[in-house]
Amino acid sequence: MLFGPGTRRRRYGYPHENGRSGHKKPARKGRLFAYPITTSQNDFLVVYLGLNSPNGAPRNRGEFFLKYMEIRNIAIIAHVDHGKTTLTDAILRQNEMADEGVSMDSNDLEKERGITIYAKNTSIYYKGTKINIVDTPGHADFGSEVERVLKAVDSVLLVVDAAEGPMPQTKFVLKKSLELGLKPILVLNKIDKPAADVKMAQDAVYELFFELGANEDQLDFKTIYAIGRNGTAKLKMEDEMTDLTPLLDLVLQEVPSVSGEERIAKPLKAQVFNLAYDNFLGRMGVCRMYEGVIKDGSKVFAKDTQGNVHSGKISKLFSFEGVVRKPVEEAVAGDVVMIAGLPDIFIGQTIVDLETTEPMPEITVDEPTVSFNMMVNDSPFVGRAGKLLTSRQIRERLEKELEVNVGLRVDFGDQAKYKVYGRGELHLAILIENMRREGFELAVSQPEVIIKDIDGVKSEPFEEATIVVPEEFSGSVIEKMGKRKGLMQNMEKEHSNVKMTFIVPTRGLLGYRNEFVVDTRGEGILTTIFAGFKPYAGTVTKTEFGSMISMENGKALAFALDNLQSRGVLYIPVNTEVYEGMVVGYTVKGEDMVVNPTKGKQLTNMRASGTDEAVKVIPPLILTLELAMSMIRSDELLEVTPDAVRLRKIFLKEGERKRGAKN
């Protein structure tokens, strides 16, 4: 189709044969021809002149047509580890937008953990169409990243593991997509797995669509079968697989084009759905263009629904191309761009060129469910490893985080400590991990759930927990979930495993994940999604551990640790420097125990009659950030520095702890 939506007709002087107008002479009589125009925005601009007459002169002499490239906007959504990022990387490689080995998961934490934490934009050019793609996180704790991204796209690729079928996060992202009126394309991935059951997975997805209230159009979704790791896809199971062309063709077929002359002709209207930072350009906003044209150097207004208006000049305009951003002179309705020049830009603001234009509705996400206190580190080791130590520096860092992390809330009311609210333990742990890598030292309290009063009823957050374990461990899991107020919703056999679904208070899951790993010998899978606030469930019974608390300052000695390891599990190896009040391990009896890990063997000037037994210290349980957050108790703090994670008592001296317990 040569002309259609997005075609703009303009009149220009016809170029001479010697090319004085900067265009090349048209060739090939009787054929379609075009004069290429070199512009910085030629990624989305096509120039067409018309048909050559038999003598080589253009039939529509003196005019040519500008046709903006069609644009499609999609997001790739799925449960964690179902292959979103792998599929995105394969699409980029096939379209020569990324080299082998280059991945969308470029953040250090993402590489280390093998999960997507932050939503990222990219784009490809396919058959004359620009396809903007957003790769989204799959973990429930980063659901806010998914929620705001979905409002900037026109369809989603729902990736589902053909062996596992839909999982809890599948339900969450699909529910949000359907509520926004998006029609997903189902990608059944990993069909080469030995346990893959394509029909089972497809039927389960259809049931999930129905359960979530999908309309008739959404229920009529298309399915494609893929092996993301190999970069191949097919429309029918009996088809051959060579590359991802069938998937990309389906995107062009099913996803509506969002470009067009009518939209371009309207005043500018774009919404910020993500933020970025550049050392030279400062804060930048990632925007979805809904109407109009935005140009580099133009004056714009940033508006919100509260009536706040900020004006500024676009100092730099970028479009996304593969894994890089590319400077452009202008962008049109339908595209996704990044703008610089507005220092007060925030997620949810509407960018307009007329101050009278009404802002778009705010981008809203689900509320936080878990909180903790963050404060200055005052341990005896303060300042040894970190450079950012003060309350003011912590506050500035949290304020900066609030600008980009829409799922986070912070109460700055108390100068001694800041109350931080997030979507889950992992959500908060990622914030802490980023801060420690930046050089911060801080102390963190035990995470706790948010309790609300809803219509006079004390309410707390609940999770839908899906657990898959070998059958032999199912009894232990059911017992533990029962003590934690978990109510079983479903139980079914899957090959040699048992799949169970529980509705359980978030309180019951705090600190359970590491216990779950031990109970299932690392073979179990536990995934959760937020199920809403429900009436308070009462007392939750958890496995109680006591703490081994150091009574001395110094270095831990093998002789002392050898005696202590029979009384519990140690967190520290030999020669670790400790201080009074530091937690060096835990006891299984549930009671605190004051110990001396620095105690050495008493020496005499008399040779022993026998040979001493060699001291054998069992390798300790090294505290990771997530493990420490699950093991911390209400009277303890988590000390976080760039080089260490330690547990300690709030009151370091035993006498102060006893007085604090009485009060």
Side-chain angles (χ1 to χ4, degrees), residues 291-406:
E291 295 174 355
V293 178
I294 192 169
K295 296 183 178 181
D296 188 11
S298 61
K299 181 182 179 181
V300 296
F301 301 91
K303 305 181 70 175
D304 60 31
T305 54
Q306 283 75 45
N308 301 309
V309 182
H310 304 282
S311 63
K313 180 181 178 182
I314 304 295
S315 61
K316 208 72 176 178
L317 182 66
F318 298 95
S319 180
F320 294 95
E321 185 173 298
V323 294
V324 300
R325 62 189 191 212
K326 175 184 176 182
V328 294
E329 291 183 5
E330 71 175 41
V332 299
D335 210 351
V336 175
V337 296
M338 180 184 290
I339 60 174
L342 301 176
D344 297 322
I345 196 168
F346 293 98
I347 289 173
Q349 287 180 329
T350 304
I351 307 301
V352 299
D353 55 6
L354 299 177
E355 196 170 356
T356 56
T357 304
E358 289 294 318
M360 300 182 66
E362 289 185 4
I363 294 176
T364 57
V365 298
D366 288 341
E367 297 180 23
T369 57
V370 181
S371 69
F372 62 58
N373 292 321
M374 184 180 290
M375 63 204 80
V376 170
N377 179 29
D378 63 354
S379 88
F381 292 170
V382 62
R384 290 190 178 186
K387 298 180 180 179
L388 303 171
L389 314 173
T390 68
S391 177
R392 178 184 60 82
Q393 290 170 324
I394 294 174
R395 179 182 179 119
E396 290 176 350
R397 176 61 178 82
L398 290 175
E399 288 174 342
K400 182 180 178 182
E401 184 70 20
L402 287 173
E403 295 174 0
V404 297
N405 196 335
V406 294

Side-chain angles (χ1 to χ4, degrees), residues 264-505:
I264 295 171
K266 292 182 179 180
L268 171 64
K269 183 178 285 187
Q271 188 167 39
V272 183
F273 68 91
N274 203 354
L275 294 179
Y277 185 82
D278 185 274
N279 289 331
F280 299 100
L281 300 173
R283 286 178 64 181
M284 299 183 293
V286 181
C287 308
R288 159 70 189 271
M289 297 279 296
Y290 289 94
E291 295 174 355
V293 178
I294 192 169
K295 296 183 178 181
D296 188 11
S298 61
K299 181 182 179 181
V300 296
F301 301 91
K303 305 181 70 175
D304 60 31
T305 54
Q306 283 75 45
N308 301 309
V309 182
H310 304 282
S311 63
K313 180 181 178 182
I314 304 295
S315 61
K316 208 72 176 178
L317 182 66
F318 298 95
S319 180
F320 294 95
E321 185 173 298
V323 294
V324 300
R325 62 189 191 212
K326 175 184 176 182
V328 294
E329 291 183 5
E330 71 175 41
V332 299
D335 210 351
V336 175
V337 296
M338 180 184 290
I339 60 174
L342 301 176
D344 297 322
I345 196 168
F346 293 98
I347 289 173
Q349 287 180 329
T350 304
I351 307 301
V352 299
D353 55 6
L354 299 177
E355 196 170 356
T356 56
T357 304
E358 289 294 318
M360 300 182 66
E362 289 185 4
I363 294 176
T364 57
V365 298
D366 288 341
E367 297 180 23
T369 57
V370 181
S371 69
F372 62 58
N373 292 321
M374 184 180 290
M375 63 204 80
V376 170
N377 179 29
D378 63 354
S379 88
F381 292 170
V382 62
R384 290 190 178 186
K387 298 180 180 179
L388 303 171
L389 314 173
T390 68
S391 177
R392 178 184 60 82
Q393 290 170 324
I394 294 174
R395 179 182 179 119
E396 290 176 350
R397 176 61 178 82
L398 290 175
E399 288 174 342
K400 182 180 178 182
E401 184 70 20
L402 287 173
E403 295 174 0
V404 297
N405 196 335
V406 294
L408 199 73
R409 303 285 187 274
V410 182
D411 181 0
F412 295 107
D414 191 341
Q415 294 299 316
K417 57 187 178 185
Y418 304 124
K419 194 83 167 177
V420 183
Y421 304 85
R423 293 286 290 270
E425 288 179 287
L426 182 59
H427 184 207
L428 297 175
I430 292 296
L431 168 64
I432 299 170
E433 182 64 32
N434 281 326
M435 291 180 68
R436 70 177 287 208
R437 295 189 181 201
E438 294 166 11
F440 281 87
E441 286 193 11
L442 42 92
V444 175
S445 69
Q446 181 186 43
E448 57 185 14
V449 300
I450 298 170
I451 305 296
K452 289 184 175 183
D453 187 294
I454 302 177
D455 298 328
V457 178
K458 183 180 180 182
S459 302
E460 64 177 323
F462 279 70
E463 309 280 333
E464 180 183 301
T466 299
I467 297 175
V468 181
V469 295
E471 191 171 7
E472 59 190 285
F473 304 126
S474 61
S476 172
V477 170
I478 293 171
E479 181 185 359
K480 290 288 181 68
M481 293 301 291
K483 291 180 178 179
R484 293 167 179 265
K485 299 296 182 179
L487 297 177
M488 183 181 290
Q489 304 298 298
N490 187 44
M491 181 176 180
E492 57 188 38
K493 186 81 177 292
E494 290 187 348
H495 307 290
S496 61
N497 294 330
V498 176
K499 181 178 180 181
M500 298 171 285
T501 305
F502 296 87
I503 298 294
V504 57

Side-chain angles (χ1 to χ4, degrees), residues 80-150:
V80 62
D81 202 34
H82 276 203
K84 298 180 307 301
T85 302
T86 302
L87 183 64
T88 306
D89 294 343
I91 291 173
L92 292 175
R93 287 194 299 273
Q94 179 172 318
N95 290 273
E96 300 181 347
M97 291 293 186
D99 297 329
E100 191 71 34
V102 175
S103 174
M104 292 289 289
D105 284 346
S106 54
N107 181 272
D108 288 342
L109 282 177
E110 293 177 323
K111 293 178 181 178
E112 293 169 13
R113 297 168 182 263
I115 61 173
T116 301
I117 298 173
Y118 307 104
K120 301 174 192 66
N121 294 82
T122 186
S123 71
I124 63 169
Y125 299 100
Y126 181 73
K127 294 186 176 179
T129 299
K130 183 178 185 181
I131 304 176
N132 290 309
I133 305 170
V134 188
D135 183 28
T136 64
H139 199 286
D141 282 21
F142 310 113
S144 59
E145 291 280 313
V146 181
E147 289 178 81
R148 59 185 170 85
V149 161
L150 291 178

